[in-house]
Amino acid sequence: MNKEILVTRSALPEMEEYIEEIRSIWENHWLTNMGNKHIALQEKLAEFMGVDKIELFTNGHMAIELALQALNLQGEVITTPFTFASTTHAIVRNGLTPVFCDIDPADFTMDVTKLEALITDRTSAILPVHVYGNICHVEEIERIAHKYGLKVLYDAAHTFGETYKGVGVGNFGDVSCFSFHATKVFNTIEGGAACFRDPRIGEKLYDLKNFGIHGPEEVSGIGANAKMNEFCAAMGLCNLRHVKEEIAMRKTVAERYRDGLEGLSGLRMNVIQKDVDSNYAYFPVVIEESEFGASREEVFDALAAENIYARKYFYPLTNTFEAYHGRFSADRTPAALHVSKRVLTLPLYSSLELSDVDRIVGIIRACHV
Ligand SMILES: *Cc1c(COP(=O)(O)O)cnc(C)c1O
């Protein structure tokens, strides 16, 4: 049997580099609660991402959930169902109602031509998702949000390190939330961050991630606990030193796929967005069975038979989750439904060998008739 290839493989620094980084933790015995590593990573990330302000969290989900809370929203939040469970759950767990906008089939992000029709007098915010490294139509979203006085929170989990027209992607919206989960382009084992400009949002986020504790004898908010610990921050400091190289290697893998899969009828690759400096987070392909000659399921199975595990991502849509049974209808987001039934994200990580990419391409080509 061939070696197992999973859809991703977490980036790790050399073990010695991490040991060197955590040595000082043994010297000061400060393991969490905004220690030196936390503060250092916050500063280094702000610089790398080109953002003014950033708060670190225990994971990307808590960044989204608490950022929604910090924005003090009510009623309805317009979002998309073509995302990870986290986005929709964060809205619902805040007692807010998600209203699903369809996606643009070209780049899988919110279809801004459908957005305005969904705004009601109960709408308080828009929560668009940057998907696979594709950046949302940020200018149009900003225009509409401004026109109706809505807040904007981006789920930027897929777009670490990207720029749009030279501007760090974390600068868009009132808040942009990132995930540093083990499977993401940049990881802190588990971790996340929220980027924002308004210092009042920063104060709220800080309180919300630390029980609302404002001073040694002052608890002024009803916060949760979502602080990034020192070992995770140390992993972030190490991985950040190598992330440019990580992205460059991902680019080489992605380009190899692109060359190999070029010209296959019924197989559509991701768009290359102009003005976006991509991080090559994922390599999705959308397979139209009638043209390609095989279904997404058949391609998935053919790869799995060779011990290669692609991922049906995002599938199912969040508005079809069993947890939300009877509450939403995917019929209202037909483009998202169409894509989610046909998309496959192929294995992509910096250490994936080009010979393995060629093998994966060969298996996919063999499915094509
Ligand atoms: C990974 C991810 C999240 C959640 O991040 P965690 O760090 O795993 O909590 C949220 N949204 C999207 C789109 C993601 O891919």
Side-chain angles (χ1 to χ4, degrees), residues 350-367:
S350 59
S351 58
L352 183 60
E353 285 176 29
L354 297 183
S355 57
D356 286 326
V357 175
D358 295 344
R359 205 154 58 81
I360 293 167
V361 165
I363 295 165
I364 297 171
R365 282 195 160 267
C367 293

Side-chain angles (χ1 to χ4, degrees), residues 88-140:
T88 304
H89 287 353
I91 295 170
V92 175
R93 288 170 58 81
N94 268 284
L96 300 162
T97 305
V99 172
F100 293 102
C101 184
D102 209 353
I103 60 166
D104 178 345
D107 61 20
F108 316 109
T109 71
M110 184 174 275
D111 183 346
V112 288
T113 66
K114 308 240 163 77
L115 175 55
E116 245 174 310
L118 297 170
I119 296 172
T120 70
D121 53 12
R122 286 175 45 78
T123 309
S124 60
I126 311 171
L127 201 177
V129 184
H130 302 310
V131 180
Y132 303 137
N134 299 338
I135 293 179
C136 295
H137 304 248
V138 289
E139 285 141 347
E140 184 62 6

Side-chain angles (χ1 to χ4, degrees), residues 183-204:
T183 56
K184 302 298 204 288
V185 169
F186 165 74
N187 86 75
T188 62
I189 310 173
E190 289 262 12
C195 302
F196 50 92
R197 283 174 306 274
D198 185 343
R200 288 167 302 177
I201 292 179
E203 260 175 49
K204 282 189 190 159

